[in-house]
Amino acid sequence: MERIMIVEDEMPISKVLKAYLKKANYETVQVFRGDEVLRRFEEESPSLIILDVMLPGINGWDVLRKIREKSDCPVIMLTALSEVDDRLSGLNQGADDYIAKPFVGDEVVARTKAVLRRVGKQTLPVKSFGKLEVDLIGHRVKLGEEEITLTPRDLTLLTFFAEHPNQTFTREQLIEKVWGWEYEGSDRAVDVSIKRIRNALRGWPVSEGEIRTLRGLGYQLSVY
């Protein structure tokens, strides 16, 4: 199920969006302040963000700019401002679409589906980070001309990182997303798996990327 992050400080509007998206079989995450978006973004890894412009803490334009510094996650701007200049400003800053208030709930769902469909068509099956190539469909990893052999679990973990570059995940999040909720072992399995992956990728230039440990936060596939 694809996850939509709703960033809207007006509770009634947020509830309406949640209801329509839930009816369309989307999972939703509600955020009510601009200065909470980046933390929740890293925790939830949404498929798309519906982002209001007028927010407490940090306004939507600044939130969009910060998201674009680290991710190409699709963003639909939502605002009461409907002038042409405002729409162009949002699109020029990296927004994928723009919806003016008052809106029709079904239109928001339709635009969400359209953006996700468009982004999905643009997603390449092979993620390249310098010499490192991760084939998401063929389940193969190459470093230059050499094919890297990994255990199925390590391959799944590296593939997950490749789909979410420059995003930080805790051990608990990785266990849930890679090992599965039914896993009952220690979360130290993540450390062991990452150690094996790092060893397998020891020929990958640090100037191109690395799997970083962020003390107190988790792990991240950092690519440059």
Side-chain angles (χ1 to χ4, degrees):
M1 182 180 293
E2 290 177 298
R3 180 177 300 163
I4 310 300
M5 178 176 286
I6 302 167
V7 185
E8 168 60 65
D9 64 316
E10 295 186 46
M11 181 67 74
I13 295 177
S14 182
K15 286 184 176 180
V16 168
L17 290 170
K18 178 178 180 177
Y20 272 91
L21 290 166
K22 183 178 180 180
K23 184 179 178 181
N25 295 319
Y26 291 110
E27 182 182 347
T28 60
V29 176
Q30 292 171 287
V31 181
F32 301 98
R33 294 182 56 88
D35 49 10
E36 294 179 356
V37 175
L38 291 182
R39 176 180 63 82
R40 295 297 302 279
F41 177 79
E42 292 185 351
E43 291 175 353
E44 304 291 347
S45 299
S47 304
L48 180 143
I49 301 172
I50 296 176
L51 176 62
D52 189 27
V53 170
M54 305 302 293
L55 293 167
I58 303 175
N59 69 53
W61 300 130
D62 289 338
V63 172
L64 176 62
R65 178 177 53 80
K66 290 178 179 295
I67 290 173
R68 284 291 168 261
E69 289 175 355
K70 62 190 312 179
S71 173
D72 58 359
C73 176
V75 176
I76 297 177
M77 301 301 294
L78 179 66
T79 178
L81 304 175
S82 58
E83 289 78 6
V84 172
D85 287 346
D86 295 309
R87 292 200 299 270
L88 293 178
S89 176
L91 295 173
N92 287 335
Q93 291 184 58
D96 295 270
D97 203 349
Y98 188 105
I99 299 175
K101 300 176 184 176
F103 57 81
V104 177
D106 288 331
E107 179 189 5
V108 175
V109 172
R111 287 178 178 266
T112 297
K113 290 180 178 179
V115 171
L116 288 172
R117 196 161 50 239
R118 184 167 69 242
V119 171
K121 289 180 179 178
Q122 295 172 350
T123 301
L124 298 177
V126 177
K127 297 288 187 178
S128 298
F129 310 105
K131 292 173 61 179
L132 178 64
E133 291 186 357
V134 181
D135 186 337
L136 306 181
I137 296 177
H139 306 291
R140 299 171 63 189
V141 177
K142 291 182 66 178
L143 192 59
E145 297 301 317
E146 178 187 0
E147 184 163 344
I148 303 298
T149 301
L150 297 169
T151 67
R153 184 77 72 185
D154 293 353
L155 178 57
T156 301
L157 178 57
L158 180 57
T159 298
F160 178 79
F161 275 130
E163 292 177 307
H164 304 87
N166 298 321
Q167 294 186 40
T168 305
F169 298 95
T170 64
R171 290 191 188 94
E172 291 77 12
Q173 288 173 320
L174 293 173
I175 287 291
E176 177 187 347
K177 296 175 185 297
V178 177
W179 275 256
W181 63 269
E182 72 281 1
Y183 176 76
E184 297 181 351
S186 168
D187 62 4
R188 291 295 174 181
V190 175
D191 303 341
V192 175
S193 183
I194 285 177
K195 182 177 180 180
R196 289 195 299 260
I197 294 172
R198 283 173 171 162
N199 184 59
L201 301 182
R202 58 187 178 277
W204 189 28
V206 176
S207 59
E208 295 179 355
E210 60 181 323
I211 297 179
R212 294 179 59 201
T213 302
L214 283 75
R215 189 174 299 276
L217 295 175
Y219 292 105
Q220 176 188 107
L221 176 65
S222 298
V223 294
Y224 311 114

